Amino acid sequence: MSSLAFGYRKSQLIKMSKILVVDDERGIQRALKGVLEDEGFAVETVASGEECLKLLEHETFSCILLDIWLPGIDGIETFERIKASYPDVVVLMISGHGTIETAVRATKLGAFDFIEKPLHLEKTVQSVRNALQQAQLKLESQQLRSNELVNECKIIGDSAPMRALRQQINVAAPTNGRVLIYGESGTGKELVAQSLHTQSLRNSNPFIAMNCAAVPEELIESELFGHIKGAFTGAYQNKRGKFELADTGTLFLDEVADMSLKMQAKVLRVLEEQSFEPVGSSNSITVDVRIIAATNKRLDEEIEKGNFRTDLFYRLNVIPFQIPSLRQHMEDIAQLVEHFNQIHCRKNKLQNKKFTDDAIDIMQNYDWPGNVRQLSSVVERVVIMNQKTRIEAEDIPVGKSEQILPNIHYNYDSYREANEAYEKEFITRKLIELQGNITRTAETIGIDRSYLYRRMKALGISSKQNGS
Ligand SMILES: Nc1ncnc2c1ncn2[C@@H]1O[C@H](COP(=O)(O)OP(=O)(O)OP(=O)(O)O)[C@@H](O)[C@H]1O
Ligand SMILES: [Mg+2]
């Protein structure tokens, strides 16, 4: 059913313009069929709401002419059922004497229009043409919106590293080769995974993303392979797993280095056998899934530490991609800023801002530990918080000491590590501000000089922070 409904969105179907006439009067069926066929439409006729709904299960129509008075379920009820299952199909009600009020009500419920009996055939043809034209316009505006979405998925940047990346994507995308994407946090790993999918032969099939770090140990199998109703406490319904959802498409295993060893063993088995059993079922399901994985950790180190299986690594790492950090393609900043300016202004219903050269300059002199994602949030914050159109250097929050703090990468597992990272950044920055003068720094931040000295030693901070 739902795939039929989707069918209405495809423009070729609208152009083919198949029309269904639902009326129990043979004379009307014949007259409408004749005049519409003369106009080049393909026309089918049925005599009841039930027949109409049955036919819609197998066939797609661009426009339905629906009589209000029908034997069995009436036109209004038929109309409501059509709308529920095929929201995009255009319906014109046919109203007889005494049913005009009902027809008006139907247009309020979403029928395109109504035509009155006795039918004026010329006018009827005109109404059908109008209806189809409107549907076409609606479709085009939907396509425009989806193009905007495509734009958000575009990889921006003309720097050598970004051009090389796009080139690599072009080569790898149409194959079924497994890609393992490396890159610091916020560099665009997921975006690259999506592009690989969109440019592949699987692009009309699903792209399913799974965050491997976020799966609780006891749900691993159910998440990956699904389960059948009653398989365990809480399994109230059958549930399809990620591998089944991604069948014929792409499964994106994000943060793959953070997979538990148990999950690694399960994934490895599917990769070897291309099949699995849902939890509680003995029926094996065979799938055709392309795997793309991503990580911001070094897998060789994880393997060394015993956190990652070598055999799984070799299976995933067929085509390795290294996404450069933003620091490695700073020349793209102006373009990226303009790109995010457009995206965030549109999202927040604001007029596009103009970033001055000085503003861009500030951003080009910052080191972006959170990479493109951080740049995107800074631009979003700036366009929202500034009501004026021109964005100047002083409107850019980065580079000012109190604003850098939130950018510490939240990649720490323990409180202690996170705390130390924060402390280190804080002390280092204060030292830079005060030209490496330990006594003044201690005074300024309100701790004892000897304590500051001990902390610097413990955190490995050199005292030569002379501000340059
Ligand atoms: N070259 C680029 N052009 C346009 N947008 C980009 C580019 N790189 C990243 N982005 C955007 O930056 C944001 C972060 O990218 P993404 O989520 O793909 O990064 P990630 O590497 O998966 O990050 P994390 O490690 O934090 O999960 C997204 O909104 C993405 O669209
Ligand atoms: Mg990501």
Side-chain angles (χ1 to χ4, degrees):
M1 279 252 194
S2 58
S3 65
L4 267 179
F6 179 74
Y8 286 110
R9 285 197 195 101
K10 300 203 169 147
S11 57
Q12 344 44 310
L13 290 176
I14 298 279
K15 284 198 195 100
M16 266 163 42
S17 293
K18 262 168 70 179
I19 295 174
L20 177 62
V21 174
V22 189
D23 200 310
D24 60 321
E25 281 178 62
R26 295 273 166 233
I28 301 255
Q29 284 188 1
R30 224 174 298 125
L32 284 174
K33 190 172 163 69
V35 67
L36 290 168
E37 280 180 348
D38 287 348
E39 290 296 314
F41 296 117
V43 183
E44 290 202 37
T45 57
V46 290
S48 72
E50 287 87 342
E51 282 173 78
C52 160
L53 293 169
K54 191 136 194 59
L55 189 61
L56 288 180
E57 286 177 23
H58 311 286
E59 267 186 70
T60 306
F61 294 88
S62 319
C63 178
I64 300 175
L65 299 177
L66 179 61
D67 193 17
I68 287 184
W69 194 93
L70 288 169
I73 59 169
D74 67 9
I76 288 287
E77 176 153 10
T78 308
F79 168 71
E80 283 174 342
R81 294 201 203 169
I82 294 173
K83 271 288 143 188
S85 299
Y86 317 101
D88 290 343
V89 70
V90 175
V91 180
L92 286 173
M93 304 303 290
I94 306 175
S95 149
H97 185 67
T99 55
I100 293 199
E101 258 176 50
T102 321
V104 172
R105 188 154 58 86
T107 57
K108 290 198 177 126
L109 293 174
F112 181 78
D113 198 358
F114 62 89
I115 43 184
E116 282 176 72
K117 282 182 187 169
L119 294 177
H120 185 299
L121 291 179
E122 266 312 299
K123 271 193 198 159
T124 305
V125 170
Q126 195 50 49
S127 294
V128 169
R129 275 210 214 98
N130 282 346
L132 290 172
Q133 217 163 26
Q134 287 287 332
Q136 184 71 37
L137 284 177
K138 193 170 148 202
L139 179 88
E140 278 161 14
S141 87
Q142 273 171 358
Q143 279 169 345
L144 205 70
R145 270 201 303 279
S146 75
N147 283 345
E148 281 173 5
L149 280 180
V150 167
N151 194 29
E152 282 183 27
C153 295
K154 233 165 68 189
I155 295 176
I156 302 291
D158 285 325
S159 62
M162 284 297 112
R163 274 187 284 140
L165 181 63
R166 273 195 297 267
Q167 171 64 16
Q168 243 186 318
I169 294 174
N170 290 341
V171 174
T175 71
N176 273 329
R178 292 189 192 130
V179 176
L180 181 49
I181 306 172
Y182 295 94
E184 284 177 22
S185 134
T187 45
K189 296 185 292 298
E190 179 148 8
L191 183 68
V192 167
Q194 279 163 348
S195 300
L196 282 164
H197 176 75
T198 342
Q199 292 186 46
S200 75
L201 306 173
R202 297 168 176 260
N203 59 10
S204 52
N205 303 330
F207 174 87
I208 304 287
M210 174 172 199
N211 183 343
C212 301
V215 186
E217 202 66 6
E218 66 280 7
L219 289 182
I220 290 173
E221 283 172 289
S222 158
E223 279 295 303
L224 290 172
F225 313 134
H227 61 244
I228 60 169
K229 188 174 161 182
F232 49 87
T233 341
Y236 300 116
Q237 312 253 332
N238 289 351
K239 185 187 145 190
R240 301 202 294 160
K242 295 283 197 277
F243 271 97
E244 196 180 342
L245 291 169
D247 189 17
T248 69
T250 304
L251 178 58
F252 175 49
L253 299 175
D254 203 2
E255 316 223 24
V256 79
D258 298 301
M259 254 195 227
S260 67
L261 286 166
K262 177 177 167 193
M263 186 163 166
Q264 292 176 36
K266 304 276 173 204
V267 169
L268 181 67
R269 229 199 87 196
V270 191
L271 297 191
E272 277 165 355
E273 299 176 8
Q274 298 280 322
S275 71
F276 56 85
E277 290 98 43
V279 181
S281 158
S282 52
N283 290 336
S284 151
I285 298 181
T286 301
V287 289
D288 164 24
V289 172
R290 179 186 195 183
I291 303 283
I292 297 178
T295 178
N296 55 17
K297 294 201 175 151
R298 291 197 39 179
L299 279 183
D300 51 349
E301 285 175 4
E302 297 305 312
I303 289 173
E304 198 133 304
K305 286 192 247 167
N307 295 337
F308 205 82
R309 296 176 66 123
T310 322
D311 44 8
L312 181 58
F313 170 72
Y314 285 122
R315 292 210 165 252
L316 295 175
N317 193 45
V318 179
I319 311 175
F321 269 51
Q322 179 72 50
I323 317 289
S325 68
L326 181 51
R327 294 179 299 290
Q328 292 168 294
H329 62 114
M330 296 293 263
E331 61 268 47
D332 292 328
I333 284 197
Q335 259 188 57
L336 283 163
V337 167
E338 192 39 42
H339 174 69
F340 292 127
N341 179 18
Q342 284 178 20
I343 288 181
H344 296 307
C345 287
R346 191 169 62 226
K347 264 193 197 146
N348 294 290
K349 308 210 180 326
L350 299 164
Q351 224 182 344
N352 271 10
K353 309 275 176 179
K354 165 87 186 110
F355 284 74
T356 62
D357 291 347
D358 287 350
I360 300 285
D361 230 41
I362 296 279
M363 293 193 262
Q364 265 163 345
N365 281 301
Y366 177 66
D367 72 350
W368 302 106
N371 294 296
V372 185
R373 183 197 302 291
Q374 186 190 5
L375 177 65
S376 166
S377 358
V378 166
V379 172
E380 178 165 27
R381 169 153 143 211
V382 168
V383 301
I384 291 176
M385 297 309 288
N386 288 283
Q387 294 187 325
K388 53 187 186 169
T389 318
R390 250 175 94 82
I391 304 297
E392 325 254 358
E394 71 245 31
D395 303 319
I396 306 297
V398 291
K400 294 177 193 162
S401 51
E402 73 280 8
Q403 308 283 6
I404 301 177
L405 289 181
N407 303 332
I408 290 187
H409 343 257
Y410 289 98
N411 277 338
Y412 303 100
D413 294 326
S414 75
Y415 174 79
R416 217 193 86 221
E417 273 182 300
N419 215 10
E420 285 186 349
Y422 175 89
E423 191 184 359
K424 185 169 178 178
E425 175 157 345
F426 176 68
I427 295 178
T428 308
R429 204 177 52 234
K430 286 296 173 191
L431 279 168
I432 292 174
E433 277 172 27
L434 298 166
Q435 283 81 37
N437 185 324
I438 297 181
T439 311
R440 277 187 56 213
T441 304
E443 262 172 36
T444 311
I445 64 180
I447 59 173
D448 219 55
R449 185 187 185 283
S450 60
Y451 181 65
L452 173 59
Y453 196 74
R454 278 206 309 280
R455 289 313 292 151
M456 284 168 61
K457 246 183 124 173
L459 297 165
I461 302 172
S462 136
S463 57
K464 293 194 190 67
Q465 308 284 351
N466 55 13
S468 59

